[in-house]
């Protein structure tokens, strides 16, 4: 049937992405003012219609993504599909978040000589390069210092300077960075899956084609995409035995957002396994060496950026903002309110204590996963994906796109396992959590719940129909397409490895 074929799913998904983009022109995270008159705000009726259109397009895209896994498409077809689905979003205004305006404003702050780690975008000169962006920053972030590392601020500064204060070119410049991040993620997913003996096409379908990623990395231009791309590249290098380069890439990733530092623990496991000598020496090398390399990169980037080391104290600034997706914040708020009513305790103190306990629990889970990986009971890369998911689940602030941190790693390890199933359903559901302008109305949580139920029922039905095969969101037959389509790539890699061994042997003699 045409609608069930890879080409049919590609076309349906493209139509869905186009509907999202068109809806975004009327209901996206539009700037407060656009001197060019391209992205202008509209009345409530037009905005509502745009929101409905975008949600309809999102539903088409989600269904097309889910069904695409049944079509048995290989790597090349999947890459073509990715290009088709991304294309409609390229010139769209910011979608599902206004964070990009904070990025541009912070880049302008650096240009104007402000300390981004003590002040927020409100200090930007209204007539300067970041004036229009600062005016468009969401209320929660206007006076919030930057929680991002100096490497990202270097990039944001370059975009703000290149755009010359024009808001549309500045946003499109940030989207170019997001596209670069997507390319890096695709490269990382392919090579990570290849090294682990997994299906490359399935990794790309589950990871790069995922609507949640397209919405928030391409549409919303979140810098999480660049952090993830560098993280994946670092892990690939470490798996190939180039752990110094891998640790350096992780250092760059944590100079965008700090959660990337988790990868150092599991790269350390790989380093310890490969090291020779007594157990104590191997353990010390694994625990210390990757961190020292990443730390040296972080110091160098900070000095080059000239923004100072204020990023060390601003990593928790976002935790003070309550997000309904944070289980620990919700539990702390409910418990604090209850105890305040019953015994008069300070609700804020209770909420803070519960949040802290959540982080302690996350660290315990991460340490346990690291121990299991070191003992050989779980693949280190898979353990990294689970660790990132645990950190998100127990963090005091959670946004829907945070799921991408661990999802992309899981996509290359066990996309067809239990963790992959849960993450796939969650990613489809969380795509509905925000409206195109970035807000989260109450009805969005209803949609999230409905999609979770539908996704769970679909998974059960598919597994009941074919209990011998994994079904989400790709099929084992696609792996055969991978092997056929990528024979030339594998041959080239084998040749490169053989040549490298010959050179090393010649050098050793």
């Amino acid at each position: 049937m045409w609608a069930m074929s890879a080409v049919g799913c590609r076309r349906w998904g493209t139509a869905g992405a186009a509907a999202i983009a068109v809806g975004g022109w009327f209901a996206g995270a539009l700037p407060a003012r656009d001197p060019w008159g391209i992205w202008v705000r509209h009345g409530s009726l037009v905005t509502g219609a745009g929101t409905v259109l975008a949600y309809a397009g999102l539903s088409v895209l989600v269904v097309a993504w889910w069904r695409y896994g049944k079509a048995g498409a290989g790597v090349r077809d999947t890459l073509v599909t990715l290009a088709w689905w991304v294309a409609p979003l390229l010139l769209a205004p910011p979608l599902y978040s206004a964070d990009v305006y904070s990025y541009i404003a912070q880049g302008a702050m650096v240009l104007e000589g402000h300390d981004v780690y003590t002040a927020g975008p409100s200090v930007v000169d209204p007539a300067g390069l970041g004036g229009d962006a600062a005016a468009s920053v969401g209320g929660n972030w206007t006076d919030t210092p930057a929680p991002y590392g100096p490497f990202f601020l270097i990039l944001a500064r370059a975009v703000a300077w290149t755009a010359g204060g024009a808001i549309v070119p500045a946003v499109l410049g940030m989207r170019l960075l997001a596209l670069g991040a997507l390319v890096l993620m695709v490269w990382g997913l392919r090579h990570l899956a290849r090294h682990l003996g997994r299906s490359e096409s399935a990794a790309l379908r589950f990871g790069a084609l995922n609507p949640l990623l397209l919405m928030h990395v391409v549409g919303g231009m979140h810098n999480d995409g660049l952090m993830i791309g560098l993280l994946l590249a670092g892990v690939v290098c470490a798996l190939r035995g180039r752990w110094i380069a891998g640790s350096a890439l992780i250092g760059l990733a944590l100079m965008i957002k700090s959660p990337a530092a988790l990868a150092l623990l599991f790269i350390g496991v790989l380093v310890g396994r490969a090291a020779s000598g007594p157990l104590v020496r191997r353990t010390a090398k694994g625990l210390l060496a990757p961190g020292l390399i990443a730390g040296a990169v972080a110091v160098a980037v900070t000095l080059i950026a000239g923004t100072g080391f204020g990023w060390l104290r601003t990593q928790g600034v976002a935790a003070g903002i309550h997000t309904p997706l944070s289980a620990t914040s919700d539990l702390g708020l409910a418990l604090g309110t209850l105890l305040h009513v019953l015994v008069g305790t300070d609700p804020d103190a209770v909420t803070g204590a519960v949040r802290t306990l959540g982080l302690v629990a996350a660290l315990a889970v991460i340490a346990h996963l690291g121990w299991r990986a070191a003992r050989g009971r779980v693949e280190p890369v898979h353990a990294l994906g689970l660790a990132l998911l645990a950190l998100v689940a127990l963090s005091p602030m959670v946004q829907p796109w945070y799921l991408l941190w661990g999802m992309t790693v899981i996509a290359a390890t066990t996309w067809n396992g239990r963790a992959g199933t849960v993450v796939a359903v969650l990613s489809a559901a969380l795509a509905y959590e925000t409206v195109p302008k970035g807000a989260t109305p109450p009805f969005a949580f209803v949609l999230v719940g409905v999609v979770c139920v539908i996704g769970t029922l679909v998974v059960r039905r598919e597994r009941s129909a074919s209990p011998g095969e994994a079904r989400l969101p790709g099929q084992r037959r696609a792996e055969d397409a991978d092997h056929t389509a990528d024979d030339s790539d594998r041959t080239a890699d084998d040749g490169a490895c053989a040549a490298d061994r010959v050179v090393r042997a010649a050098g050793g003699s």
Side-chain angles (χ1 to χ4, degrees):
M1 184 177 178
W2 176 83
M4 303 299 292
S5 68
V7 173
C9 290
R10 178 186 299 161
R11 291 172 178 171
W12 278 110
T14 304
I20 292 173
V22 173
W25 278 80
F26 301 100
L30 301 169
R33 55 177 185 262
D34 172 18
W36 291 15
I38 296 177
W39 294 334
V40 295
R41 299 187 179 187
H42 303 274
S44 58
L45 183 62
V46 174
T47 301
T51 301
V52 171
L53 177 61
Y55 263 120
L58 173 62
S59 298
V60 172
L61 180 61
V62 169
V63 172
W65 168 66
W66 197 277
R67 299 306 305 174
Y68 190 82
K70 316 299 177 182
V75 172
R76 290 187 179 89
D77 286 338
T78 303
L79 291 175
V80 171
T81 299
L82 178 61
W84 277 48
W85 290 6
V86 166
L89 303 175
L90 293 180
L91 298 179
L95 299 171
Y96 303 103
S97 173
D99 282 3
V100 67
Y101 299 124
S102 292
Y103 302 162
I104 298 167
Q106 287 159 1
M109 287 176 65
V110 177
L111 287 172
E112 293 180 2
H114 299 289
D115 184 355
V116 295
Y117 297 122
T118 59
S122 61
V123 303
V124 171
D125 179 5
L129 296 181
D132 290 338
S136 306
V137 173
N140 287 333
W141 306 103
T142 302
D143 296 305
T144 302
Y148 314 119
F151 182 52
F152 181 70
L153 293 176
I154 291 174
L155 300 176
R157 178 178 60 187
V159 169
W161 180 82
T162 303
I167 192 66
V168 173
V171 169
L172 296 182
M174 296 304 301
R175 184 159 281 141
L176 282 178
L177 291 180
L179 289 177
L182 180 61
V183 170
L184 190 56
M185 292 168 70
V186 167
W187 182 89
L189 284 167
R190 290 194 62 184
H191 288 269
L192 196 56
R194 180 182 302 179
H195 187 94
L196 298 173
R198 306 296 196 270
S199 168
E200 293 179 42
S201 60
L204 290 175
R205 288 194 301 272
F206 184 30
L209 270 185
N210 194 299
L212 186 68
L213 186 145
L214 297 179
M215 289 168 54
H216 291 292
V217 172
V218 181
M221 294 158 282
H222 287 291
N223 55 10
D224 301 70
L226 190 54
M227 180 198 75
I228 294 168
L230 289 169
L231 183 148
L232 292 176
V235 173
V236 169
C237 288
L239 286 172
R240 292 177 173 178
R242 302 167 184 169
W243 65 269
I244 295 178
S247 300
L249 287 171
I250 300 302
L252 286 179
L254 68 88
M255 285 292 90
I256 296 172
K257 296 191 78 169
S258 58
L262 267 185
L264 295 172
L265 173 62
F266 299 95
I267 287 180
V269 171
L270 297 173
V271 171
R273 285 182 178 180
S276 58
L279 177 61
V280 174
R281 179 181 176 182
R282 288 186 281 118
T283 302
K285 183 177 181 180
L287 289 176
L288 298 177
L292 290 174
I293 297 297
V297 170
V299 171
V301 170
T302 301
L303 294 176
I304 292 171
T307 54
F309 290 86
W311 56 270
L312 290 170
R313 65 174 181 270
T314 62
Q315 296 306 301
V317 296
I321 300 174
H322 178 260
T323 54
L325 290 179
S326 172
T328 57
S329 292
D330 292 341
L331 178 61
L333 182 62
L335 185 60
T337 302
L338 178 62
L339 291 178
H340 177 70
V341 172
L342 295 178
V343 296
T345 56
D346 181 6
D348 292 336
V350 175
T351 301
V354 174
R355 286 178 166 184
T356 301
L357 288 175
L359 288 176
V360 171
L363 291 176
V365 172
I366 293 165
H368 178 67
L369 288 169
W371 173 254
R372 286 177 58 84
R375 297 292 298 271
R377 295 178 180 176
V378 62
E379 163 63 45
V381 179
H382 181 58
L384 170 60
L386 295 177
L388 288 167
L389 292 177
L391 178 63
V392 172
L394 295 169
S395 288
M397 179 183 177
V398 179
Q399 299 286 11
W401 56 89
Y402 289 4
L403 184 68
L404 302 175
W405 301 352
M407 185 200 76
T408 47
V409 180
I410 296 296
T413 57
T414 56
W415 58 269
N416 57 350
R418 179 175 297 178
T421 301
V422 173
V423 172
V425 173
L426 281 177
S427 64
L430 289 177
Y432 289 82
E433 199 260 351
T434 49
V435 295
K437 68 177 181 180
T440 304
F443 73 80
F445 291 105
V446 176
L447 293 176
V448 169
V450 169
V451 176
C452 277
V453 172
I454 293 174
T456 302
L457 293 175
V458 169
V459 169
R460 288 183 177 179
R461 185 183 67 180
E462 290 176 349
R463 289 188 168 178
S464 298
S466 303
E469 291 190 42
R471 292 286 174 180
L472 185 71
Q475 289 184 309
R476 197 168 296 165
R477 60 183 178 181
E479 296 180 15
D480 297 331
D482 283 355
H483 295 311
T484 301
D486 298 320
D487 278 344
S488 59
D489 291 343
R490 295 177 187 275
T491 301
D493 283 352
D494 292 341
C497 292
D500 186 53
R501 288 194 292 270
V502 170
V503 171
R504 290 183 180 179
S509 63

